Amino acid sequence: MSATSTTILNLPDQSTATLPKKNYINNEHGLLSWLLTGDHKRIAILYLISITFFFFIGGAFAGLIRLELLTPQPDLVASDTYNKFFTMHGIIMIFLFLVPSVPATLGNFLIPIMLGAKDLAFPKINLLSWYLYMAGGTFTLAALVLGGVDTGWTFTTPLSTHYLNTHVITAATAIFIAGFSSIFTGLNFIVTIHRMRAPGMTWFRMPLFVWSNYAASILMVLGTPVLAIAIVLVALERTFGIGVFDPTKGGDPLLFQHLFWFYSHPAVYIMILPGMGVISEVISTFSRKRVFGYTAVAFSSVAIALFGFFVWEHHMFIMGVSNYSALVFSLLTMLVAVPSAIKIFNWAFTLQQGSITFETPMLYAFGFMGLFTIGGLTGVFLGSLGMDIHLTETYFIVAHFHFVMVGGMLMAFLAGIHFWWPKMTGRMYPESLSKLAAVITFIGFNLTFLPQFILGYLGMPRRYHAYPPEYQVLNVLSTAGATVLGVGYLLPMLYLAWSLKYGAIAGNNPWQATGLEWQIQSPPLTENFIEIPIVDHEAYDYEWLEHKTKHEVTTVG
């Protein structure tokens, strides 16, 4: 590979290339064959369709919020309707899109193949996870159709237990059910990674994508039950008045905050860790180098998962917690920046002197590195006690977590979808159009959320639909950016759907990548491998790939 190459894309001769006659897509026919499947790849596709559906519903609420904020006056919807908009946006985006996005789609599809296994450890539980996810989604839609819920996605007590008459129980039931989907997925991944690795696939030969999903799975299994308990207590308090969070009955509203954030801060890492795994794969492939400091990057995923359990109280600095505990949690919050920084520095060193090419997944990976870094650094502001008091509950918070979870996570998800799309479908997407979409998304995102940092610093509170006129210019800029961002998100859906029929035949390994998934046909067989592979090389070993490629006869079709 020449350092001056502009692409590493290597497609078979299109005049003779065909898709493999037998693969997981055409192995069985009919709707029931999909709805009753135990194949991890088909379940991943079911998840992909489902989360895309919910992403656009959640996105529609974001559009309505930005439309309302075009003017300082509340002239589009009433106050309580606006409250429902941002609540439904938050619930749908976090619990039905961001949490399952990478693990349930890419993780489901790839982890068994990356490990050299034929499926996940518990295929039926994997399918059950999808059905639970759909049940959670159905309850969420029911809450929406019945009139919505306006607690905010945080279900803050006593607001949610005593003072609102919207569909809190229905929405809480949705989150409770979707939580079990998350737990089962995490459990399946942990058991598969421990017990089903191919011969020779040692822990330190595993792709970093597997490491990051492993760390996220630990968080899912240990953290999600705490959220489930908190949600059940809200339902019991609201229905029977048991008094757990009610001070007049000896309860404590802060207890809910502790329980909720004990899950919801690690949930940030449930969302971002699998995305970091995607970025490791993409950066290695498109710079033709082993990830710098592989072991440090692998352990940094575990460290992020571990530290993630000890920082929840930084969401509660203004809620009357002890100054001493706030000091401890502030210091712990700074600690979690260390493993995150290790990843960014190691990706940067991987790029150094690499043969870098700029295919679409790489553009999204660069976008991730920039936006996640801004999101992470602004998180340091919020972990500092003095600054947090000034900035919390303002638009600074909104901008910060969107930089981490949307700028970071969604860019990583799109990087992963574009990277593995040829493997999942056997076809390529239009490269020029996909690069344009990546650039539009990056520009639109920054136009939307950078002004919100300034708005927050100036004091504009979040969750208000009326604001002083001097903030209008920045709000108009933000709404204009959201429009550009919407175009950036719509384009991939259109050209990826187009590529299913008209895209070029991708062949087995169009990116010349080293992972086991790239050494099998595209799309894969139902059983993934004809023979269980024996792994005798490190992850990202491009010399092994070059040697293998020289000595094999390539056949497509």
Side-chain angles (χ1 to χ4, degrees):
M1 177 60 53
S2 162
T4 58
S5 295
T6 56
T7 181
I8 60 169
L9 189 61
N10 181 25
L11 299 180
D13 180 1
Q14 295 297 302
S15 62
T16 57
T18 57
L19 290 177
K21 290 175 184 172
K22 189 176 178 185
N23 58 62
Y24 78 96
I25 299 172
N26 62 17
N27 188 45
E28 293 179 275
H29 298 282
L31 184 61
L32 273 182
S33 73
W34 283 85
L35 295 179
L36 300 176
T37 185
D39 182 356
H40 64 100
K41 298 178 290 298
R42 284 188 164 210
I43 294 170
I45 300 297
L46 292 175
Y47 266 116
L48 182 61
I49 296 167
S50 314
I51 68 164
T52 304
F53 171 73
F54 284 111
F55 172 76
F56 280 98
I57 292 182
F61 280 110
L64 291 169
I65 291 167
R66 288 312 322 167
L67 276 178
E68 170 58 63
L69 293 174
L70 264 178
T71 57
Q73 304 81 23
D75 43 15
L76 181 65
V77 293
S79 305
D80 56 345
T81 307
Y82 182 81
N83 292 345
K84 291 173 183 174
F85 281 178
F86 68 69
T87 301
M88 296 307 296
H89 168 69
I91 289 174
I92 291 173
M93 283 303 201
I94 288 173
F95 296 108
L96 299 178
F97 177 72
L98 286 169
V99 168
S101 58
V102 170
T105 57
L106 298 174
N108 243 327
F109 195 99
L110 294 162
I111 284 177
I113 307 177
M114 285 179 163
L115 295 173
K118 293 191 173 183
D119 207 321
L120 286 171
F122 308 114
K124 290 180 180 175
I125 289 181
N126 195 21
L127 181 62
L128 175 63
S129 299
W130 179 72
Y131 276 105
L132 287 171
Y133 169 84
M134 292 305 294
T138 305
F139 270 91
T140 306
L141 291 179
L144 171 65
V145 172
L146 293 171
V149 61
D150 55 355
T151 57
W153 76 276
T154 50
F155 288 87
T156 304
T157 56
L159 184 69
S160 62
T161 51
H162 287 72
Y163 299 111
L164 297 176
N165 57 4
T166 52
H167 296 275
V168 178
I169 299 290
T170 312
T173 306
I175 293 170
F176 182 80
I177 295 172
F180 278 94
S181 168
S182 186
I183 292 169
F184 288 156
T185 299
L187 184 68
N188 229 333
F189 285 178
I190 290 171
V191 176
T192 304
I193 293 167
H194 273 271
R195 304 297 302 171
M196 297 180 68
R197 302 192 308 276
M201 178 61 80
T202 62
W203 281 88
F204 293 103
R205 284 179 175 170
M206 291 196 312
L208 289 166
F209 179 78
V210 179
W211 270 101
S212 59
N213 274 278
Y214 179 72
S217 299
I218 293 171
L219 290 172
M220 287 181 201
V221 171
L222 297 181
T224 313
V226 180
L227 174 71
I229 292 166
I231 291 292
V232 168
L233 289 175
V234 165
L236 292 175
E237 179 100 355
R238 187 176 170 87
T239 309
F240 302 109
I242 59 174
V244 177
F245 305 128
D246 184 355
T248 63
K249 296 179 179 177
D252 183 356
L254 267 189
L255 175 61
F256 174 79
Q257 295 296 324
H258 283 291
L259 292 172
F260 182 84
W261 289 114
F262 184 80
Y263 163 80
S264 294
H265 192 81
V268 173
Y269 305 119
I270 292 175
M271 299 175 217
I272 202 71
L273 274 169
M276 290 172 161
V278 171
I279 299 304
S280 293
E281 302 299 318
V282 169
I283 284 184
S284 171
T285 298
F286 295 102
S287 54
R288 315 305 294 167
K289 280 179 67 182
R290 189 168 196 256
V291 173
F292 180 85
Y294 167 94
T295 310
V297 177
F299 278 121
S300 67
S301 294
V302 180
I304 289 173
L306 182 66
F307 293 161
F309 278 118
F310 299 102
V311 296
W312 79 88
E313 201 183 277
H314 71 217
H315 294 272
M316 303 164 59
F317 285 162
I318 62 164
M319 296 182 187
V321 296
S322 148
N323 286 340
Y324 297 108
S325 73
L327 179 63
V328 171
F329 276 90
S330 178
L331 291 172
L332 288 170
T333 301
M334 300 303 161
L335 270 184
V336 84
V338 175
S340 302
I342 286 173
K343 287 184 183 293
I344 295 288
F345 282 124
N346 281 279
W347 291 329
F349 276 110
T350 305
L351 293 171
Q352 188 187 29
Q353 297 185 340
S355 296
I356 301 170
T357 54
F358 296 91
E359 278 81 1
T360 307
M362 191 63 156
L363 296 186
Y364 280 113
F366 280 132
F368 172 94
M369 288 176 68
L371 300 179
F372 176 76
T373 302
I374 294 173
L377 289 174
T378 49
V380 173
F381 283 53
L382 297 167
S384 308
L385 287 171
M387 287 299 288
D388 181 77
I389 290 168
H390 176 66
L391 296 173
T392 199
E393 298 301 334
T394 71
Y395 259 84
F396 193 95
I397 294 273
V398 177
H400 158 69
F401 70 68
H402 278 87
F403 261 84
V404 173
M405 292 197 284
V406 183
M409 183 56 215
L410 200 48
M411 293 296 264
F413 177 69
L414 289 170
I417 287 291
H418 284 84
F419 184 52
W420 283 294
W421 187 257
K423 180 55 60 182
M424 297 166 83
T425 65
R427 290 188 181 273
M428 296 300 300
Y429 43 81
E431 185 70 12
S432 300
L433 192 56
S434 58
K435 286 181 179 176
L436 177 67
V439 172
I440 289 175
T441 302
F442 184 78
I443 293 172
F445 181 86
N446 281 292
L447 275 175
T448 306
F449 293 104
L450 279 177
Q452 295 182 12
F453 278 125
I454 304 170
L455 283 168
Y457 188 78
L458 292 175
M460 178 170 166
R462 61 191 290 203
R463 295 174 171 166
Y464 280 58
H465 71 332
Y467 56 84
E470 57 264 35
Y471 295 156
Q472 187 175 13
V473 171
L474 290 168
N475 272 298
V476 169
L477 190 59
S478 187
T479 301
T483 310
V484 177
L485 188 59
V487 173
Y489 289 150
L490 194 59
L491 277 175
M493 202 182 78
L494 296 177
Y495 64 69
L496 289 177
W498 174 89
S499 76
L500 289 173
K501 185 169 184 181
Y502 302 105
I505 302 293
N508 295 351
N509 193 0
W511 308 127
Q512 303 171 62
T514 58
L516 284 182
E517 77 274 25
W518 297 108
Q519 315 312 318
I520 59 175
Q521 69 175 43
S522 306
L525 292 164
T526 298
E527 58 271 29
N528 297 339
F529 303 94
I530 297 171
E531 293 180 357
I532 294 296
I534 296 173
V535 181
D536 57 1
H537 58 279
E538 306 297 319
Y540 318 112
D541 187 344
Y542 292 95
E543 290 182 5
W544 167 83
L545 181 68
E546 191 175 346
H547 181 265
K548 173 179 175 291
T549 308
K550 278 181 183 173
H551 294 85
E552 75 176 3
V553 178
T554 303
T555 56
V556 176

